[in-house]
Amino acid sequence: MSAIKKFFQKKKADAKFKLAGPGHRLNEETVRKIQPSSSHVPAARVPPSAEAQQAAAAALARMEQKNTQSAAFNTSLNAIRAQVRRELEAEKQDASKGTSSPAKKDTKSNSPLTVQGVYFKCPLVGPEILSKEKWNERISEFLYEQLEIGSEDEMGLTAALIIHSCNRTLGREKVSTCVDTICKYLENIVAHPDEEKYRKIRCSNRVYRDRVAPVQGSDILLRAAGFQVCKMLAENQGNAEGGEAMEDFLMFDKYSKEEMDKLTMLVDALRTAESIQLELDRNTQVLLPSQAAAPLNLPPDFFTLSPEELKREMELRAAAVEQSSMLRTKAMREREELRERKLYRYSLIRIRFPDGVLLQGTFSVYERFSTVVEFVQENLLVENKTFVLILPSGDRISSVIHPFESKSAADKDNDSGEGKPVEDDKTLMDLHLVPNAVLHFSWEKGTKDEREEYLKPDVMILLKPV
């Protein structure tokens, strides 16, 4: 097991240990022993004091408040269900009369955002749900806090995480170059411990100045490895008065086997470390049919381009479509669709239930469709029941996950492949569910009564009545 994995396990164990409360020795008596009374005469019962009576009254008030809140929750939930039924009945009446809702105007620029942004979780650092920018700041604070409270042995491991996690603005290529350069420094010392040229780094050296110094955490890792800043005579240089110029160097002057083993461990930590990963928060919402009918207006976080670049891209595409009135081949259309889908990072997926309620969640365009199935399962009132999600294309995908289709003997004779991926193994981009899509929910064996409840009460309460 690498040092980085052990480091993470220790941090997780420390977090759980702190939540467990104060510790006790195994031989410590945590319960006071009741001393037997010398007299068996029961003491006269003392009436409760004024403080005790006040505490009892407060406890009763809390119980009554809890009951009131529970009743209010149920009343609010019933109001939501009633409003959903009214809107669903109105939709049916419009459909029976042959009328449709008025055409939506292009008010996207003026309409409010459908979701306020894209949010993430990071269980290793804390329970908060924040934007990616806020999490980058929080992760940096967390790692630098670990430097203050951690031991000297952990300094190098924390520095490796800082290098990989706190330099996103520099890009992966520059971080990778820095890691390779530092590893080369340390490996040269391990391979040639007696050669001085490998044990010192001139701070003005172009390689160090361009590849290592700009990266956060690089100086901390070198210090943890045993390098110290010192003034040394510059090589082949002198000042204008004929004197000798001094320069800043990083010098390593430790020769023990333990120090060599430490350098090897740090090289392994740098090679195997990864940036602290964020988990995409679904930003779960429940919508009424009227709320889902509002114009869709996605925030800039959903796009790979900036708002200005996206606007220009849309204008160029519209102009190209107007100019090219000629018929396009299937290959041309597919290339155009793929190019358009690549504009998006995230997709807003809505699942419409037979009772009219819509469940909404945010997904990465590269997530498998099976994650959408799991999202629905987590919010259903009835567990362990097979259901079907119907795509806009009309394809039906069951909640029973089969990563690969089984093949008959004849198929295996004609095809040497290991298996054909089914729909739930494809990404949302592959299924054309980008940047948003509405899926329809149905039970596997027939549709139940339309008044049946589908979502958990604590999920339904997320719905905000209009």
Side-chain angles (χ1 to χ4, degrees):
M1 182 184 295
S2 69
I4 284 290
K5 290 183 179 179
K6 292 181 180 179
F7 178 70
F8 269 121
Q9 286 187 349
K10 181 178 183 300
K11 292 301 175 187
K12 291 179 180 179
D14 289 344
K16 292 180 180 178
F17 186 77
K18 290 177 182 177
L19 295 175
H24 298 281
R25 294 182 180 277
L26 293 177
N27 59 355
E28 180 182 352
E29 295 182 2
T30 57
V31 181
R32 294 182 180 178
K33 294 182 179 180
I34 300 175
Q35 299 294 333
S37 175
S38 57
S39 174
H40 296 284
V41 179
R45 183 169 182 175
V46 180
S49 63
E51 292 80 2
Q53 292 178 3
Q54 187 176 3
L60 288 173
R62 286 195 298 271
M63 292 178 64
E64 291 177 0
Q65 184 181 5
K66 184 177 180 181
N67 293 333
T68 303
Q69 290 176 348
S70 178
F73 175 85
N74 292 331
T75 302
S76 177
L77 192 57
N78 290 333
I80 290 172
R81 290 168 179 160
Q83 185 168 355
V84 171
R85 286 195 293 269
R86 287 195 299 270
E87 292 197 7
L88 195 59
E89 289 170 1
E91 279 189 0
K92 288 184 177 179
Q93 290 177 2
D94 291 341
S96 62
K97 293 177 182 178
T99 60
S100 59
S101 58
K104 299 176 185 176
K105 296 181 180 180
D106 188 11
T107 57
K108 187 172 181 179
S109 58
N110 299 323
S111 60
L113 291 175
T114 307
V115 288
Q116 294 304 311
V118 179
Y119 301 97
F120 297 85
K121 299 178 289 187
C122 187
L124 180 66
V125 178
E128 300 92 347
I129 297 176
L130 306 170
S131 65
K132 184 175 289 186
E133 292 74 18
K134 292 291 184 182
W135 265 124
N136 289 341
E137 297 175 5
R138 181 71 185 89
I139 289 172
S140 179
E141 293 172 1
F142 168 77
L143 291 175
Y144 279 98
E145 286 173 2
Q146 300 306 308
L147 290 176
E148 297 177 1
I149 64 177
S151 64
E152 289 189 10
D153 294 337
E154 294 177 347
M155 182 187 295
L157 302 178
T158 305
L161 290 175
I162 291 175
I163 290 173
H164 285 277
S165 302
C166 300
N167 293 283
R168 291 184 172 91
T169 56
L170 296 179
R172 293 183 181 179
E173 185 176 349
K174 289 188 176 180
V175 172
S176 178
T177 301
C178 172
V179 168
D180 292 340
T181 305
I182 294 177
C183 288
K184 190 65 176 177
Y185 288 155
L186 304 185
E187 288 169 343
N188 283 339
I189 294 175
V190 173
H192 312 281
D194 298 327
E195 294 193 30
E196 183 181 354
K197 66 178 181 179
Y198 294 121
R199 291 187 287 107
K200 64 181 181 180
I201 304 170
R202 183 158 55 95
C203 295
S204 60
N205 176 268
R206 183 179 59 82
V207 172
Y208 175 81
R209 187 183 66 241
D210 295 345
R211 299 182 182 180
V212 179
V215 178
Q216 273 193 74
S218 59
D219 57 332
I220 302 172
L221 189 135
L222 291 172
R223 192 165 65 247
F227 283 89
Q228 294 181 347
V229 180
C230 62
K231 293 283 187 181
M232 295 182 66
L233 179 64
E235 300 175 358
N236 302 325
Q237 291 187 17
N239 57 26
E241 299 177 357
E244 296 178 337
M246 303 295 287
E247 278 194 75
D248 288 336
F249 278 79
L250 292 172
M251 189 68 187
F252 183 88
D253 56 359
K254 301 178 181 180
Y255 302 90
S256 66
K257 182 180 182 303
E258 290 77 11
E259 293 299 329
M260 296 299 108
D261 292 341
K262 182 179 180 180
L263 295 185
T264 303
M265 181 272 293
L266 288 177
V267 169
D268 177 67
L270 266 177
R271 298 285 192 197
T272 59
E274 296 178 354
S275 62
I276 295 179
Q277 298 298 315
L278 301 179
E279 297 177 10
L280 179 63
D281 181 68
R282 296 300 177 208
N283 192 16
T284 305
Q285 297 182 27
V286 181
L287 307 174
L288 293 168
S290 60
Q291 294 169 329
L296 194 71
N297 188 9
L298 298 176
D301 293 344
F302 271 69
F303 304 96
T304 57
L305 303 176
S306 67
E308 293 77 15
E309 292 172 330
L310 181 66
K311 183 178 179 181
R312 176 164 176 76
E313 177 74 17
M314 292 299 184
E315 290 174 351
L316 291 174
R317 184 171 302 153
V321 170
E322 290 178 2
Q323 292 175 2
S324 60
S325 56
M326 63 177 184
L327 294 176
R328 293 173 297 164
T329 64
K330 181 180 178 182
M332 292 171 65
R333 291 196 302 270
E334 288 178 350
R335 283 197 300 269
E336 222 172 90
E337 290 176 0
L338 181 60
R339 181 185 174 190
E340 182 176 354
R341 292 200 303 272
K342 285 186 176 180
L343 294 175
Y344 302 97
R345 289 193 182 102
Y346 305 101
S347 180
L348 196 68
I349 301 297
R350 291 172 173 174
I351 298 92
R352 177 164 180 144
F353 292 86
D355 61 358
V357 170
L358 290 96
L359 178 67
Q360 175 179 288
T362 302
F363 296 81
S364 167
V365 297
Y366 300 107
E367 287 191 79
R368 304 289 179 184
F369 189 82
S370 56
T371 59
V372 178
V373 174
E374 293 169 3
F375 171 67
V376 175
Q377 286 174 330
E378 292 170 358
N379 293 284
L380 282 179
L381 180 63
V382 179
E383 298 179 358
N384 302 324
K385 191 170 184 179
T386 306
F387 59 87
V388 171
L389 294 179
I390 305 172
L391 275 58
S393 61
D395 294 330
R396 301 166 64 90
I397 302 182
S398 172
S399 60
V400 179
I401 308 297
H402 299 294
F404 291 95
E405 291 178 345
S406 59
K407 290 191 172 184
S408 63
D411 292 335
K412 290 180 179 178
D413 292 338
N414 297 328
D415 185 5
S416 60
E418 295 182 356
K420 178 184 177 182
V422 295
E423 298 299 322
D424 56 30
D425 195 48
K426 291 184 178 180
T427 66
L428 301 186
M429 182 175 287
D430 293 336
L431 294 172
H432 298 194
L433 303 179
V434 176
N436 66 289
V438 177
L439 316 179
H440 290 265
F441 177 95
S442 174
W443 293 119
E444 178 77 21
K445 296 181 180 179
T447 304
K448 297 289 183 180
D449 183 4
E450 294 178 355
R451 294 183 180 272
E452 180 183 2
E453 298 174 6
Y454 294 88
L455 298 176
K456 297 175 181 178
D458 58 336
V459 177
M460 281 293 295
I461 206 65
L462 296 175
L463 194 153
K464 297 177 181 179
V466 292

